[in-house]
């Protein structure tokens, strides 16, 4: 009897163990977890994705990508993909920002971020793997700008420079003296087509020798009629050195101003004798000029042959000394014209040189 009970108890125990083993075996699953680009097989009794990750000593952060979702149920043979987030300290054309990506390489990250990088200059190799702790990445995009240097013809420049200043350095375009550039040197370059214009300004000194006209020294002579003059000595011009400040913009002179001068040769004065004797019959000449040229001492006849208030022809004017005053009578003063007219009258013994008006006015 006792042996029968022992055998029954043993059988019952075997059923429990066997039954429990069957349950345990039924709960065990073999799943595949891909972390980034590495696969691993895991045995787990968990029923969800998050439970399976925990069994493998993994967790999914808020920056990570997980598929299926963490609460999804799993079965034997399930596949889980975990892509861990990586922080990029991204500087694009001098502007810094923080971004997160699940990309594994620099090239993949650029594509995921929707950034065109054809022709761009990157601080890391495109195929470099991004560490899990993240990395700093400097990207300088390709740009096409128009550069005008000092009035030279515009030229197209392909560049990765981030500012006007960087472009000038890249192109070995130095600003010297008072040169300027537009836009300002710190202006960022954009992907839109820009024009950069360098203005070359130069300040130079120029020394020239300049003629100094002789001053006039006048001697009054009461025996000569007022308006008459006689040159005693022609004099001689002097010379001075004049220093000018010359401003050129893009090679073209825009301003020239005197800054100092020095006389290197003194001029000799021009000495002349001038008459002070009043013209007694000036009123007669005014009447004659009124008749000849309506009183206009600068008149010129319609045919251009006769000049002045008394209508001298060029030959008569020059023959009687008028050239000392002006090439033609219309360019001389009233007094000078009267002085020459007086000579003509005295030489001819009357006013016959003006036949029509002298007869009209009763002059002989």
């Amino acid at each position: 009897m006792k042996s029968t009970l022992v055998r029954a108890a043993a059988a019952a125990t075997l059923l429990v163990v066997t039954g429990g083993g069957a349950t345990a075996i039924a709960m065990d699953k073999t799943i595949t977890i891909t972390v980034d680009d590495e696969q691993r097989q895991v045995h787990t009794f968990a029923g969800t994705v998050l439970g399976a990750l925990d069994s493998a000593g993994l967790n999914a952060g808020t920056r990570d990508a997980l598929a299926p979702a963490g609460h999804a149920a799993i079965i034997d043979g399930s596949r889980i993909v975990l892509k861990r987030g990586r922080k990029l300290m991204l500087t694009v054309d001098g502007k810094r920002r923080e971004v997160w990506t699940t990309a594994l390489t620099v090239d993949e990250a650029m594509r995921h971020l929707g950034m065109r990088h054809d022709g761009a200059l990157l601080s890391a190799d495109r195929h470099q793997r991004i560490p899990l702790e993240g990395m700093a990445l400097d990207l300088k995009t390709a740009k096409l700008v128009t550069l005008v240097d000092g009035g030279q013809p515009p030229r197209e420049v392909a560049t990765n420079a981030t500012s006007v200043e960087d472009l000038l350095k890249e192109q070995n375009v130095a600003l010297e003296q008072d040169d300027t550039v537009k836009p300002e040197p710190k202006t960022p370059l954009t992907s839109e087509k820009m024009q950069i214009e360098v203005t070359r300004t130069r300040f130079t000194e120029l020394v020239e020798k300049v003629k100094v006209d002789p001053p006039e020294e006048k001697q009054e002579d009461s025996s000569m009629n007022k308006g008459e003059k006689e040159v005693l000595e022609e004099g001689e011009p002097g010379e001075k050195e004049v220093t000018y400040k010359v401003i050129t913009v893009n090679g073209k002179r825009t301003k020239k101003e005197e800054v100092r001068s020095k006389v290197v040769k003194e001029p000799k004065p021009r000495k002349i004798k001038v008459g002070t004797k009043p013209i007694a019959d000036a009123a007669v000449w005014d009447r004659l000029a009124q008749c000849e040229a309506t009183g206009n001492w600068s008149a010129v006849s319609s045919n251009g042959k006769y000049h002045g208030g008394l209508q001298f022809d060029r030959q008569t004017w020059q023959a009687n000394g008028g050239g000392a005053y002006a090439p033609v009578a219309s360019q001389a003063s009233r007094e000078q014209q009267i002085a020459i007219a007086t000579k003509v009258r005295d030489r001819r013994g009357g006013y016959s040189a003006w036949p029509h008006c002298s007869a009209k006015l009763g002059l002989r």
Side-chain angles (χ1 to χ4, degrees):
M1 184 68 177
K2 183 178 182 180
S3 61
T4 304
L5 290 173
V6 170
R7 283 196 302 272
T13 301
L14 179 60
L15 286 174
V16 171
V17 173
T18 303
T23 303
I25 293 172
M27 293 176 63
D28 183 24
K29 309 170 189 69
T30 301
I31 62 171
T32 301
I33 300 177
T34 301
V35 181
D36 296 329
D37 57 353
E38 295 181 359
Q39 285 188 357
R40 65 178 77 172
Q41 285 190 334
V42 176
H43 292 277
T44 181
F45 293 101
T48 64
V49 169
L50 288 179
L53 292 181
D54 186 60
S55 298
L58 299 170
N59 61 78
T62 57
R63 304 287 188 177
D64 299 336
L66 179 64
H71 60 271
I74 58 172
I75 61 174
D76 186 47
S78 291
R79 293 180 176 272
I80 300 172
V81 176
L82 173 64
K83 293 185 176 181
R84 291 175 292 184
R86 289 159 167 80
K87 181 169 71 173
L88 283 181
M89 296 305 301
L90 185 62
T91 303
V92 181
D93 290 334
K95 294 182 179 180
R96 187 175 180 182
R97 59 191 175 111
E98 179 183 297
V99 296
W100 285 82
T101 180
T102 57
L104 299 179
T105 65
V106 171
D107 187 68
E108 185 182 359
M110 293 297 98
R111 286 187 282 106
H112 283 187
L113 293 170
M115 302 183 65
R116 294 185 58 186
H117 54 285
D118 295 340
L121 187 63
L122 287 168
S123 59
D125 186 274
R126 297 176 188 275
H127 303 294
Q128 179 177 334
R129 190 178 182 90
I130 301 173
L132 187 59
E133 64 272 17
M135 66 182 292
L137 183 63
D138 190 3
L139 183 145
K140 297 178 180 179
T141 60
K143 309 163 193 75
L144 187 65
V145 300
T146 301
L147 179 61
V148 182
D149 184 3
Q152 297 298 316
R155 59 188 178 98
E156 299 284 342
V157 177
T159 182
N160 295 105
T162 59
S163 68
V164 172
E165 184 177 43
D166 291 342
L167 174 74
L168 296 183
K169 289 180 181 178
E170 176 188 274
Q171 297 296 313
N172 295 317
V173 177
L175 297 181
E176 302 172 354
Q177 299 186 25
D178 291 88
D179 296 342
T180 58
V181 62
K182 289 184 178 180
E184 294 293 325
K186 299 299 183 182
T187 304
L189 295 188
T190 64
S191 56
E192 297 178 4
K193 193 172 182 181
M194 291 179 64
Q195 177 161 309
I196 298 167
E197 187 170 351
V198 176
T199 300
R200 302 291 186 181
T201 303
R202 295 289 179 270
F203 296 87
T204 58
E205 285 195 348
L206 175 66
V207 179
E208 292 182 353
K209 290 188 175 181
V210 179
K211 176 183 174 182
V212 179
D213 292 330
E216 277 192 349
E217 289 186 359
K218 296 181 180 179
Q219 299 178 8
E220 295 184 346
D221 190 330
S222 60
S223 66
M224 296 172 58
N225 287 330
K226 187 176 180 180
E228 289 187 302
K229 76 171 58 171
E230 180 183 341
V231 178
L232 301 177
E233 291 182 23
E234 285 292 347
E236 187 177 320
E239 190 176 71
K240 65 180 179 179
E241 285 185 350
V242 181
T243 301
Y244 298 95
K245 180 174 73 173
V246 179
I247 302 175
T248 58
V249 177
N250 293 338
K252 296 181 180 179
R253 181 183 292 182
T254 59
K255 191 174 184 181
K256 176 183 175 183
E257 59 182 23
E258 182 177 334
V259 291
R260 58 183 176 276
S261 65
K262 178 177 69 175
V263 176
V264 294
K265 180 183 177 183
E266 293 289 346
K268 292 183 179 179
R270 183 172 185 260
K271 297 181 180 180
I272 59 174
K273 185 165 59 175
V274 297
T276 59
K277 181 181 178 181
I279 302 174
D281 51 359
V284 174
W285 293 116
D286 284 336
R287 291 172 60 205
L288 197 56
Q290 184 65 38
C291 178
E292 290 285 340
T294 65
N296 181 5
W297 292 91
S298 300
V300 179
S301 64
S302 58
N303 61 7
K305 184 176 180 181
Y306 300 102
H307 295 258
L310 300 170
Q311 293 291 280
F312 285 99
D313 61 32
R314 188 183 295 268
Q315 183 179 356
T316 302
W317 175 258
Q318 293 287 344
N320 289 275
Y325 303 126
V328 292
S330 58
Q331 297 176 15
S333 68
R334 167 181 174 274
E335 289 76 12
Q336 291 168 344
Q337 292 182 50
I338 291 175
I340 300 303
T342 300
K343 287 183 180 181
V344 173
R345 181 198 63 185
D346 293 348
R347 286 175 181 175
R348 297 189 184 186
Y351 296 94
S352 60
W354 302 272
H356 173 73
C357 285
S358 62
K360 181 177 179 180
L361 298 173
L363 301 174
R364 295 182 180 179

